[in-house]
Amino acid sequence: MAWHDGTVTAPLTPPDQPGPHDPWQAPPSGSHLAYASASQDDPDTATELRQAALVAVLVALAGIVLGLLWLWLAPRVPLVADDTAVFLKNSEGEEAIGADGTFVLLALGFGALSAAAVFWRLRRGGVLVVVGLALGALAASLIAWRVGVWLGPSSDVVARAREAGRGVTFDAPLELHAVWAAVLAWPFAAMGIHLLLTAAFGPREPEPEWAGFSGYYGGAVQGPLAGPGAGASGGPVEPSAGPAEASGSAGPAEPSGPAEPSGPAEPSGPAGPSGPGGPSSSAGGGGAG
């Protein structure tokens, strides 16, 4: 389809046919969302399972160290006995709650250290490594609790009172009163610290890109966009010569043949006075000149 204004002729692009580089057209066949290839340092599932098991075992064994430290640093609860019963030597003492606080503080410290060690050694570890860290921390807290109770003063208070004698002070068994709050301190601390370290210093994955469009938009333009200013062959359309230029460059005009007789002339109106010196008298005008 073409449009004409007498001087310029240019093709029009049909509205239902997009240009060769229309960004809204369907992607080329075979294009797909291509992600960057995984790093060689990223472990596979089997390796990650082994790493998670190793982390869980090592962290659980660290619970023995926590139990020994708790036994060493926790305050003792003094007891005294008479012939009938066993009593607290200081009924307003805070030694009992001090044992729980010591365990929680130690567990928080061990949780931070274990999370930092795991992140330093297995920075590219996945979800399984984090799960192994959480399970190992929970097992370590339980082991530490039982180690402290087992190695601490005997839980047979009556036998110890008889052994100590009447009015002699002896230590109460080492116990946790808020068991679950103390046991969960290590796992929560490990998860929190590991999450912060991963967010701050963890590896970043590159954003994906369309592989099919990399050469489509990166190459040179193959041809001009079709439109009113482009010709049928893709180049600009030069305007055709106008009537004045055509008549000036065509040379002498050829005779066009005998002129056809025109009809009788129509009267142009009443004639003016034709006397001598009148304005419409051709003879008088010629004589005056």
Side-chain angles (χ1 to χ4, degrees), residues 16-267:
D16 56 344
Q17 296 182 2
H21 296 281
D22 186 5
W24 299 107
Q25 66 182 354
S29 60
S31 63
H32 60 281
L33 192 62
Y35 290 88
S37 58
S39 176
Q40 297 180 357
D41 297 335
D42 294 340
D44 54 4
T45 304
T47 304
E48 193 173 349
L49 281 173
R50 291 193 297 268
Q51 292 175 351
L54 181 61
V55 167
V57 171
L58 293 179
V59 174
L61 292 178
I64 300 176
V65 181
L66 174 60
L68 295 176
L69 288 176
W70 180 48
L71 177 63
W72 178 35
L73 299 175
R76 300 294 188 266
V77 179
L79 299 178
V80 64
D82 57 9
D83 295 337
T84 59
V86 179
F87 305 95
L88 288 172
K89 185 177 181 179
N90 185 8
S91 59
E92 297 181 358
E94 298 179 356
E95 292 83 3
I97 193 64
D100 288 22
T102 302
F103 187 94
V104 170
L105 292 177
L106 290 174
L108 292 177
F110 273 77
L113 290 176
S114 60
V118 170
F119 179 78
W120 175 62
R121 292 294 300 173
L122 304 173
R123 179 172 300 185
R124 294 187 177 274
V127 178
L128 295 179
V129 174
V130 179
V131 172
L133 175 61
L135 295 179
L138 180 60
S141 296
L142 294 174
I143 292 174
W145 172 39
R146 299 317 302 172
V147 166
V149 172
W150 177 49
L151 297 179
S154 175
S155 58
D156 191 353
V157 178
V158 177
R160 297 211 47 204
R162 290 175 181 175
E163 182 182 353
R166 180 180 178 180
V168 178
T169 302
F170 61 96
D171 295 334
L174 190 59
E175 295 178 351
L176 282 178
H177 297 85
V179 177
W180 288 110
V183 166
L184 293 178
W186 190 334
F188 274 96
M191 293 297 98
I193 297 300
H194 192 276
L195 178 61
L196 291 177
L197 292 175
T198 303
F201 307 105
R204 300 292 187 269
E205 295 183 358
E207 296 185 0
E209 61 180 2
W210 283 96
F213 284 102
S214 58
Y216 182 70
Y217 285 108
V221 178
Q222 300 297 329
L225 298 176
S233 61
V237 178
E238 298 181 357
S240 58
E245 297 179 2
S247 61
S249 60
E254 298 179 357
S256 59
E260 298 180 359
S262 59
E266 298 181 358

